[in-house]
Amino acid sequence: MGEQFRRKSPEEILQSISNMHRGRLKIILGAVSGSGKTYHLLMEGQSLKKKGIDVVVGILGVATRPKLAEQLEGLEKIPVICWNAQGEERYDLNVAAIVDRDPEVVLVDELAHRNRTEAPRLTRLDDVLYLLGHNISVIATVNIYEMAGMKELAERLTKAEVRIEQCVPEDTLALADEVKLLDVTPESMLKRLAEGNIEVSQTPNPLFRRDNLQVLRELTLRFVANGVNEDLEDYREKHGMVGASGATERVLVSVQYHWNGSILVRRGQQVAKRLGGELLVVCFRSPTKKLAKEEATFRRSIGKLVDKVGGVFEERPLQRDTDVANELVAYAMDNNVTRIVMGQSKRTRWEEIWYGSVVHKILRKTRNIDILIVADRSERDGERVLPTKRSTRQPNPYRRLSEEEVQQEIGKIRRGTLKVYVGAAPGVGKTYTMLREGNELAKKGIDVVVGLLETHGRKETIEQVGHLPVIPRKRIPYKNVILEEMDTDEIIRRNPEVVLVDELAHANVTGCEYEKRYLDVEKILAAGISVISTMNIQHLESLNDSVEQITAIRVRETVPDHILHQADEVELIDISPKALRQRMREGNIYTMEKVEQSLNHFFKTGNLIALRELALREVADDVDERLEAWERRTLRGPWRQQEVIFVCVNLRADSERLIRRGFRIAYRLKARWHVAYVQDHQLLTAEEQQQLEKLKKLTERLGGVFEQGKAASRRRVFTELVHLMNERQTTQAVIGQSARTRWKEIREGSVILRLLREVRHMDVLVVADHTPDTI
């Protein structure tokens, strides 16, 4: 709190003055050459020029393509220095000419360039830093594999024998005031390659195989997400926030030096990998007790294993055995852990009553950490979090398809293509990009119409409509007023090749054929019309709880995850929180009267950083899933064994969160999943019946199977649930945190502990009673 009143040191004052005379650096990062970085560089230049900023072009890689020549028009070019290397013409920045010209901003392509031998500076990055020191701002471009440290990783992941000679240092992005990720789908890249819009040095170039493009794209998304996570942690630390942000997963494995330690580490690593999170492993032990020979051996093997799987291992002192829960919670809170992985308790029922359960102690002391209790047996079917491989019978290629299967295949062939632009928040440029793509398709002779557009009065967006025909909205009378919605029937009657539909998560007004706009989109796709649409990450159904934890706002309009997963292309529109807030201040997102309120609520810097990370990781996960799906289609032989997730719900308000959590686990594991409610009294009240229907609908919307059972009494509920779990061959049970007090647990027994005793052969995830974390 007193930080703002502290007097600055002389060094800090000098640094602040120096920063006033330093230019700003913005870097546009792409996964691979041809992703459109140069085009976006010129777009940025044109946008700044319109605002009266003095912009010049310092150097461009390839500006001969018609699209680039169009964007270059009207921008001043500084002559470059031409030189020859082994018969190939190369170009250096004319730094002296730029400094003499003294523009406000210079556009610099291909940051990872090495200058001629006699140049005053070794690399183009050095030139850029020199310009920044002369108070000239720079916007530059670079590819992910041109980052030192990423080069070897990219080559290893893609198995591509491509020599990348020129790189920038690993900390280059840290030097930038702003990093903008340019996300492009492999489908778009391959289309550009086929149309001759990408110049490649070798044909065929292994970098431009679909699988390699997907790997590089995922690498780029995760790389930027990690950087954003560091920004988020810095922000939260400065503002005195504790615990997990809700944007990313951090898995903590609690081990002892016993035979099952390696099993727990493996399980934790598999969970962390599936959730795209980090892995921490900790062992609490008494500093006064000497390790036995066997324990020392286990200690070494656990340390080696953690290092091998890329985790962080730490040993912490424990003063008393009864302090394990306290120490574990404190460690988890200090390290922003979202999930603790631990083994089954060895305590008897009476020991748990006398000493208390470690699981319950942890749950009572924290509200935002889930606990995964790993099954007792290490060798059994479906134990692993990443399903094991198994041999599966290949379908007979000569088998004739049934009439129903024929109709399904015809439907797939007829169905239009769905592309979705995803953003972290309103105003990132999704609608603008959708319209720009629509205009580009129209120029190629494709019949494109605007089905539904929400401009929110944004001038740039309205201008981007151009000559695209707009389908008039349908007028619907509602409570003495006339409201407008998308006219789905008119779009189908008009039968264009492509229709642009904004805001996929929108809820239609009462009186429309469908409740949600995404259902209209499904109808349009079924009619054979392709759709390009937009949505924000906070509208994804399964992220509803994470978004509430981040923003303290419960988003009501949602899109089921399967809509995004079934899309042919999902592309992220990225923008830094700083740039987005600036757009807000300039009135480019909402009207000026809404600006201050928005900046102090949903558009707070911490919210935007967290939502950006959420969007980056979600799209990276989607890329990973698509690569696996592609491999399943193209690779022969066995794939993965089916896991079964079983979610136990009651009629409490937190059951919806349990269902969403069950879905996300099942989706990551390619698992079947069930949701079960067991009724323990004869008649449900109207309110209970309404809640039950909500749970059923949510389960079905997310693709699960809802089951309802009956029990003669409250005590029999547990028996019925265990029976259903075993009948469905469950590998992981998901339950909510108990609302019972410590005394109530002693008197009536703990549901969680009883379940753990009965189903020791399966994993049990106890989902914490999360509370929103306002930032």
Side-chain angles (χ1 to χ4, degrees), residues 5-28:
F5 300 108
R6 187 179 64 80
R7 183 179 286 126
K8 284 186 170 65
S9 68
E11 291 79 13
E12 288 172 324
I13 292 169
L14 285 172
Q15 185 62 49
S16 299
I17 294 168
S18 172
N19 288 340
M20 286 166 61
H21 296 288
R22 183 185 180 273
R24 281 178 55 80
L25 174 60
K26 178 173 181 174
I27 294 177
I28 300 172

PDB file of all heavy atoms in Angstrom, residues 5-28:
ATOM      1  N   PHE A   5       3.961   5.996  -2.172  1.00  0.00           N
ATOM      2  CA  PHE A   5       4.482   7.163  -1.449  1.00  0.00           C
ATOM      3  C   PHE A   5       6.009   7.121  -1.292  1.00  0.00           C
ATOM      4  O   PHE A   5       6.604   8.091  -0.828  1.00  0.00           O
ATOM      5  CB  PHE A   5       3.834   7.258  -0.061  1.00  0.00           C
ATOM      6  CG  PHE A   5       2.332   7.404  -0.131  1.00  0.00           C
ATOM      7  CD1 PHE A   5       1.501   6.350   0.232  1.00  0.00           C
ATOM      8  CD2 PHE A   5       1.744   8.576  -0.592  1.00  0.00           C
ATOM      9  CE1 PHE A   5       0.131   6.474   0.162  1.00  0.00           C
ATOM     10  CE2 PHE A   5       0.373   8.696  -0.664  1.00  0.00           C
ATOM     11  CZ  PHE A   5      -0.437   7.653  -0.293  1.00  0.00           C
ATOM     12  N   ARG A   6       6.624   5.995  -1.667  1.00  0.00           N
ATOM     13  CA  ARG A   6       8.069   5.866  -1.482  1.00  0.00           C
ATOM     14  C   ARG A   6       8.822   6.792  -2.431  1.00  0.00           C
ATOM     15  O   ARG A   6       8.496   6.866  -3.612  1.00  0.00           O
ATOM     16  CB  ARG A   6       8.496   4.410  -1.717  1.00  0.00           C
ATOM     17  CG  ARG A   6       9.956   4.132  -1.389  1.00  0.00           C
ATOM     18  CD  ARG A   6      10.303   2.667  -1.625  1.00  0.00           C
ATOM     19  NE  ARG A   6      10.170   2.297  -3.024  1.00  0.00           N
ATOM     20  CZ  ARG A   6      11.096   2.553  -3.958  1.00  0.00           C
ATOM     21  NH1 ARG A   6      12.202   3.210  -3.642  1.00  0.00           N
ATOM     22  NH2 ARG A   6      10.915   2.167  -5.204  1.00  0.00           N
ATOM     23  N   ARG A   7       9.848   7.496  -1.908  1.00  0.00           N
ATOM     24  CA  ARG A   7      10.648   8.396  -2.741  1.00  0.00           C
ATOM     25  C   ARG A   7      11.557   7.580  -3.662  1.00  0.00           C
ATOM     26  O   ARG A   7      12.172   6.596  -3.225  1.00  0.00           O
ATOM     27  CB  ARG A   7      11.498   9.309  -1.847  1.00  0.00           C
ATOM     28  CG  ARG A   7      12.322  10.330  -2.638  1.00  0.00           C
ATOM     29  CD  ARG A   7      13.138  11.223  -1.719  1.00  0.00           C
ATOM     30  NE  ARG A   7      12.295  12.192  -1.061  1.00  0.00           N
ATOM     31  CZ  ARG A   7      12.239  12.372   0.254  1.00  0.00           C
ATOM     32  NH1 ARG A   7      12.975  11.609   1.043  1.00  0.00           N
ATOM     33  NH2 ARG A   7      11.456  13.278   0.780  1.00  0.00           N
ATOM     34  N   LYS A   8      11.650   7.980  -4.942  1.00  0.00           N
ATOM     35  CA  LYS A   8      12.505   7.278  -5.905  1.00  0.00           C
ATOM     36  C   LYS A   8      13.973   7.566  -5.618  1.00  0.00           C
ATOM     37  O   LYS A   8      14.345   8.675  -5.228  1.00  0.00           O
ATOM     38  CB  LYS A   8      12.165   7.707  -7.341  1.00  0.00           C
ATOM     39  CG  LYS A   8      10.888   7.103  -7.894  1.00  0.00           C
ATOM     40  CD  LYS A   8      10.730   7.489  -9.362  1.00  0.00           C
ATOM     41  CE  LYS A   8       9.596   6.711 -10.022  1.00  0.00           C
ATOM     42  NZ  LYS A   8       8.299   7.017  -9.468  1.00  0.00           N
ATOM     43  N   SER A   9      14.816   6.538  -5.836  1.00  0.00           N
ATOM     44  CA  SER A   9      16.258   6.708  -5.674  1.00  0.00           C
ATOM     45  C   SER A   9      16.798   7.494  -6.870  1.00  0.00           C
ATOM     46  O   SER A   9      16.147   7.557  -7.920  1.00  0.00           O
ATOM     47  CB  SER A   9      16.943   5.340  -5.615  1.00  0.00           C
ATOM     48  OG  SER A   9      16.843   4.707  -6.878  1.00  0.00           O
ATOM     49  N   PRO A  10      18.006   8.103  -6.761  1.00  0.00           N
ATOM     50  CA  PRO A  10      18.594   8.835  -7.900  1.00  0.00           C
ATOM     51  C   PRO A  10      18.698   7.957  -9.159  1.00  0.00           C
ATOM     52  O   PRO A  10      18.473   8.430 -10.268  1.00  0.00           O
ATOM     53  CB  PRO A  10      19.985   9.236  -7.386  1.00  0.00           C
ATOM     54  CG  PRO A  10      19.829   9.274  -5.899  1.00  0.00           C
ATOM     55  CD  PRO A  10      18.850   8.221  -5.554  1.00  0.00           C
ATOM     56  N   GLU A  11      19.033   6.660  -8.972  1.00  0.00           N
ATOM     57  CA  GLU A  11      19.154   5.749 -10.123  1.00  0.00           C
ATOM     58  C   GLU A  11      17.804   5.551 -10.811  1.00  0.00           C
ATOM     59  O   GLU A  11      17.711   5.521 -12.044  1.00  0.00           O
ATOM     60  CB  GLU A  11      19.699   4.378  -9.662  1.00  0.00           C
ATOM     61  CG  GLU A  11      21.151   4.381  -9.206  1.00  0.00           C
ATOM     62  CD  GLU A  11      21.310   4.921  -7.798  1.00  0.00           C
ATOM     63  OE1 GLU A  11      20.281   5.062  -7.074  1.00  0.00           O
ATOM     64  OE2 GLU A  11      22.465   5.222  -7.414  1.00  0.00           O
ATOM     65  N   GLU A  12      16.743   5.418  -9.983  1.00  0.00           N
ATOM     66  CA  GLU A  12      15.397   5.242 -10.544  1.00  0.00           C
ATOM     67  C   GLU A  12      14.946   6.490 -11.293  1.00  0.00           C
ATOM     68  O   GLU A  12      14.293   6.395 -12.344  1.00  0.00           O
ATOM     69  CB  GLU A  12      14.400   4.906  -9.432  1.00  0.00           C
ATOM     70  CG  GLU A  12      14.558   3.489  -8.877  1.00  0.00           C
ATOM     71  CD  GLU A  12      13.695   3.231  -7.655  1.00  0.00           C
ATOM     72  OE1 GLU A  12      13.518   4.151  -6.828  1.00  0.00           O
ATOM     73  OE2 GLU A  12      13.194   2.091  -7.529  1.00  0.00           O
ATOM     74  N   ILE A  13      15.305   7.669 -10.780  1.00  0.00           N
ATOM     75  CA  ILE A  13      14.948   8.928 -11.452  1.00  0.00           C
ATOM     76  C   ILE A  13      15.642   9.009 -12.812  1.00  0.00           C
ATOM     77  O   ILE A  13      15.024   9.331 -13.827  1.00  0.00           O
ATOM     78  CB  ILE A  13      15.321  10.143 -10.566  1.00  0.00           C
ATOM     79  CG1 ILE A  13      14.418  10.176  -9.324  1.00  0.00           C
ATOM     80  CG2 ILE A  13      15.204  11.453 -11.354  1.00  0.00           C
ATOM     81  CD1 ILE A  13      14.858  11.161  -8.259  1.00  0.00           C
ATOM     82  N   LEU A  14      16.951   8.672 -12.839  1.00  0.00           N
ATOM     83  CA  LEU A  14      17.709   8.697 -14.102  1.00  0.00           C
ATOM     84  C   LEU A  14      17.140   7.708 -15.109  1.00  0.00           C
ATOM     85  O   LEU A  14      17.038   7.995 -16.305  1.00  0.00           O
ATOM     86  CB  LEU A  14      19.191   8.376 -13.835  1.00  0.00           C
ATOM     87  CG  LEU A  14      20.025   9.494 -13.193  1.00  0.00           C
ATOM     88  CD1 LEU A  14      21.400   8.973 -12.800  1.00  0.00           C
ATOM     89  CD2 LEU A  14      20.163  10.675 -14.162  1.00  0.00           C
ATOM     90  N   GLN A  15      16.748   6.502 -14.611  1.00  0.00           N
ATOM     91  CA  GLN A  15      16.157   5.479 -15.484  1.00  0.00           C
ATOM     92  C   GLN A  15      14.851   5.974 -16.082  1.00  0.00           C
ATOM     93  O   GLN A  15      14.580   5.786 -17.264  1.00  0.00           O
ATOM     94  CB  GLN A  15      15.925   4.183 -14.696  1.00  0.00           C
ATOM     95  CG  GLN A  15      15.433   3.009 -15.519  1.00  0.00           C
ATOM     96  CD  GLN A  15      16.405   2.584 -16.594  1.00  0.00           C
ATOM     97  OE1 GLN A  15      17.590   2.408 -16.324  1.00  0.00           O
ATOM     98  NE2 GLN A  15      15.929   2.455 -17.825  1.00  0.00           N
ATOM     99  N   SER A  16      13.999   6.619 -15.269  1.00  0.00           N
ATOM    100  CA  SER A  16      12.717   7.154 -15.740  1.00  0.00           C
ATOM    101  C   SER A  16      12.927   8.216 -16.809  1.00  0.00           C
ATOM    102  O   SER A  16      12.222   8.257 -17.820  1.00  0.00           O
ATOM    103  CB  SER A  16      11.922   7.746 -14.568  1.00  0.00           C
ATOM    104  OG  SER A  16      11.639   6.748 -13.618  1.00  0.00           O
ATOM    105  N   ILE A  17      13.940   9.111 -16.592  1.00  0.00           N
ATOM    106  CA  ILE A  17      14.241  10.155 -17.588  1.00  0.00           C
ATOM    107  C   ILE A  17      14.743   9.527 -18.883  1.00  0.00           C
ATOM    108  O   ILE A  17      14.349   9.917 -19.985  1.00  0.00           O
ATOM    109  CB  ILE A  17      15.286  11.153 -17.018  1.00  0.00           C
ATOM    110  CG1 ILE A  17      14.674  11.931 -15.846  1.00  0.00           C
ATOM    111  CG2 ILE A  17      15.774  12.114 -18.103  1.00  0.00           C
ATOM    112  CD1 ILE A  17      15.686  12.730 -15.040  1.00  0.00           C
ATOM    113  N   SER A  18      15.599   8.495 -18.733  1.00  0.00           N
ATOM    114  CA  SER A  18      16.135   7.792 -19.915  1.00  0.00           C
ATOM    115  C   SER A  18      15.015   7.150 -20.725  1.00  0.00           C
ATOM    116  O   SER A  18      15.015   7.198 -21.953  1.00  0.00           O
ATOM    117  CB  SER A  18      17.142   6.737 -19.455  1.00  0.00           C
ATOM    118  OG  SER A  18      17.537   5.925 -20.523  1.00  0.00           O
ATOM    119  N   ASN A  19      14.050   6.537 -20.028  1.00  0.00           N
ATOM    120  CA  ASN A  19      12.927   5.873 -20.707  1.00  0.00           C
ATOM    121  C   ASN A  19      12.072   6.858 -21.489  1.00  0.00           C
ATOM    122  O   ASN A  19      11.466   6.505 -22.508  1.00  0.00           O
ATOM    123  CB  ASN A  19      12.059   5.130 -19.690  1.00  0.00           C
ATOM    124  CG  ASN A  19      12.748   3.893 -19.156  1.00  0.00           C
ATOM    125  OD1 ASN A  19      13.686   3.386 -19.777  1.00  0.00           O
ATOM    126  ND2 ASN A  19      12.305   3.404 -18.004  1.00  0.00           N
ATOM    127  N   MET A  20      12.014   8.115 -21.016  1.00  0.00           N
ATOM    128  CA  MET A  20      11.237   9.148 -21.722  1.00  0.00           C
ATOM    129  C   MET A  20      11.822   9.416 -23.101  1.00  0.00           C
ATOM    130  O   MET A  20      11.124   9.823 -24.025  1.00  0.00           O
ATOM    131  CB  MET A  20      11.235  10.452 -20.907  1.00  0.00           C
ATOM    132  CG  MET A  20      10.344  10.401 -19.665  1.00  0.00           C
ATOM    133  SD  MET A  20      10.675  11.767 -18.554  1.00  0.00           S
ATOM    134  CE  MET A  20      10.269  13.166 -19.607  1.00  0.00           C
ATOM    135  N   HIS A  21      13.142   9.195 -23.249  1.00  0.00           N
ATOM    136  CA  HIS A  21      13.826   9.479 -24.518  1.00  0.00           C
ATOM    137  C   HIS A  21      14.111   8.197 -25.306  1.00  0.00           C
ATOM    138  O   HIS A  21      14.931   8.197 -26.199  1.00  0.00           O
ATOM    139  CB  HIS A  21      15.139  10.226 -24.246  1.00  0.00           C
ATOM    140  CG  HIS A  21      14.918  11.578 -23.631  1.00  0.00           C
ATOM    141  ND1 HIS A  21      14.404  12.654 -24.332  1.00  0.00           N
ATOM    142  CD2 HIS A  21      15.124  12.025 -22.367  1.00  0.00           C
ATOM    143  CE1 HIS A  21      14.307  13.701 -23.542  1.00  0.00           C
ATOM    144  NE2 HIS A  21      14.732  13.349 -22.335  1.00  0.00           N
ATOM    145  N   ARG A  22      13.430   7.131 -24.961  1.00  0.00           N
ATOM    146  CA  ARG A  22      13.623   5.867 -25.677  1.00  0.00           C
ATOM    147  C   ARG A  22      12.377   5.548 -26.484  1.00  0.00           C
ATOM    148  O   ARG A  22      11.248   5.740 -26.022  1.00  0.00           O
ATOM    149  CB  ARG A  22      13.883   4.738 -24.668  1.00  0.00           C
ATOM    150  CG  ARG A  22      14.169   3.376 -25.312  1.00  0.00           C
ATOM    151  CD  ARG A  22      14.301   2.298 -24.240  1.00  0.00           C
ATOM    152  NE  ARG A  22      14.579   1.004 -24.823  1.00  0.00           N
ATOM    153  CZ  ARG A  22      13.648   0.143 -25.244  1.00  0.00           C
ATOM    154  NH1 ARG A  22      12.363   0.474 -25.168  1.00  0.00           N
ATOM    155  NH2 ARG A  22      13.989  -1.031 -25.750  1.00  0.00           N
ATOM    156  N   GLY A  23      12.587   5.059 -27.700  1.00  0.00           N
ATOM    157  CA  GLY A  23      11.450   4.686 -28.534  1.00  0.00           C
ATOM    158  C   GLY A  23      10.787   3.407 -28.026  1.00  0.00           C
ATOM    159  O   GLY A  23      11.358   2.676 -27.212  1.00  0.00           O
ATOM    160  N   ARG A  24       9.586   3.136 -28.511  1.00  0.00           N
ATOM    161  CA  ARG A  24       8.859   1.913 -28.145  1.00  0.00           C
ATOM    162  C   ARG A  24       9.132   0.824 -29.176  1.00  0.00           C
ATOM    163  O   ARG A  24       9.255   1.110 -30.362  1.00  0.00           O
ATOM    164  CB  ARG A  24       7.350   2.184 -28.101  1.00  0.00           C
ATOM    165  CG  ARG A  24       6.884   2.889 -26.833  1.00  0.00           C
ATOM    166  CD  ARG A  24       5.388   3.163 -26.899  1.00  0.00           C
ATOM    167  NE  ARG A  24       4.607   1.950 -27.146  1.00  0.00           N
ATOM    168  CZ  ARG A  24       4.286   1.066 -26.201  1.00  0.00           C
ATOM    169  NH1 ARG A  24       4.651   1.270 -24.964  1.00  0.00           N
ATOM    170  NH2 ARG A  24       3.577   0.002 -26.503  1.00  0.00           N
ATOM    171  N   LEU A  25       9.200  -0.417 -28.700  1.00  0.00           N
ATOM    172  CA  LEU A  25       9.407  -1.558 -29.595  1.00  0.00           C
ATOM    173  C   LEU A  25       8.190  -2.473 -29.558  1.00  0.00           C
ATOM    174  O   LEU A  25       7.775  -2.927 -28.491  1.00  0.00           O
ATOM    175  CB  LEU A  25      10.655  -2.350 -29.176  1.00  0.00           C
ATOM    176  CG  LEU A  25      10.921  -3.667 -29.934  1.00  0.00           C
ATOM    177  CD1 LEU A  25      11.109  -3.418 -31.429  1.00  0.00           C
ATOM    178  CD2 LEU A  25      12.126  -4.402 -29.349  1.00  0.00           C
ATOM    179  N   LYS A  26       7.635  -2.719 -30.735  1.00  0.00           N
ATOM    180  CA  LYS A  26       6.530  -3.682 -30.861  1.00  0.00           C
ATOM    181  C   LYS A  26       6.990  -4.787 -31.792  1.00  0.00           C
ATOM    182  O   LYS A  26       7.548  -4.517 -32.867  1.00  0.00           O
ATOM    183  CB  LYS A  26       5.279  -2.998 -31.421  1.00  0.00           C
ATOM    184  CG  LYS A  26       4.114  -3.958 -31.630  1.00  0.00           C
ATOM    185  CD  LYS A  26       2.850  -3.227 -32.017  1.00  0.00           C
ATOM    186  CE  LYS A  26       1.686  -4.192 -32.194  1.00  0.00           C
ATOM    187  NZ  LYS A  26       0.410  -3.498 -32.443  1.00  0.00           N
ATOM    188  N   ILE A  27       6.785  -6.026 -31.386  1.00  0.00           N
ATOM    189  CA  ILE A  27       7.194  -7.172 -32.207  1.00  0.00           C
ATOM    190  C   ILE A  27       5.969  -7.965 -32.636  1.00  0.00           C
ATOM    191  O   ILE A  27       5.124  -8.317 -31.809  1.00  0.00           O
ATOM    192  CB  ILE A  27       8.185  -8.084 -31.449  1.00  0.00           C
ATOM    193  CG1 ILE A  27       9.503  -7.336 -31.195  1.00  0.00           C
ATOM    194  CG2 ILE A  27       8.447  -9.369 -32.224  1.00  0.00           C
ATOM    195  CD1 ILE A  27      10.525  -8.122 -30.394  1.00  0.00           C
ATOM    196  N   ILE A  28       5.877  -8.235 -33.936  1.00  0.00           N
ATOM    197  CA  ILE A  28       4.818  -9.102 -34.485  1.00  0.00           C
ATOM    198  C   ILE A  28       5.443 -10.479 -34.670  1.00  0.00           C
ATOM    199  O   ILE A  28       6.390 -10.649 -35.439  1.00  0.00           O
ATOM    200  CB  ILE A  28       4.270  -8.555 -35.815  1.00  0.00           C
ATOM    201  CG1 ILE A  28       3.678  -7.156 -35.611  1.00  0.00           C
ATOM    202  CG2 ILE A  28       3.213  -9.502 -36.385  1.00  0.00           C
ATOM    203  CD1 ILE A  28       3.273  -6.447 -36.895  1.00  0.00           C
TER     204      ILE A  28
END
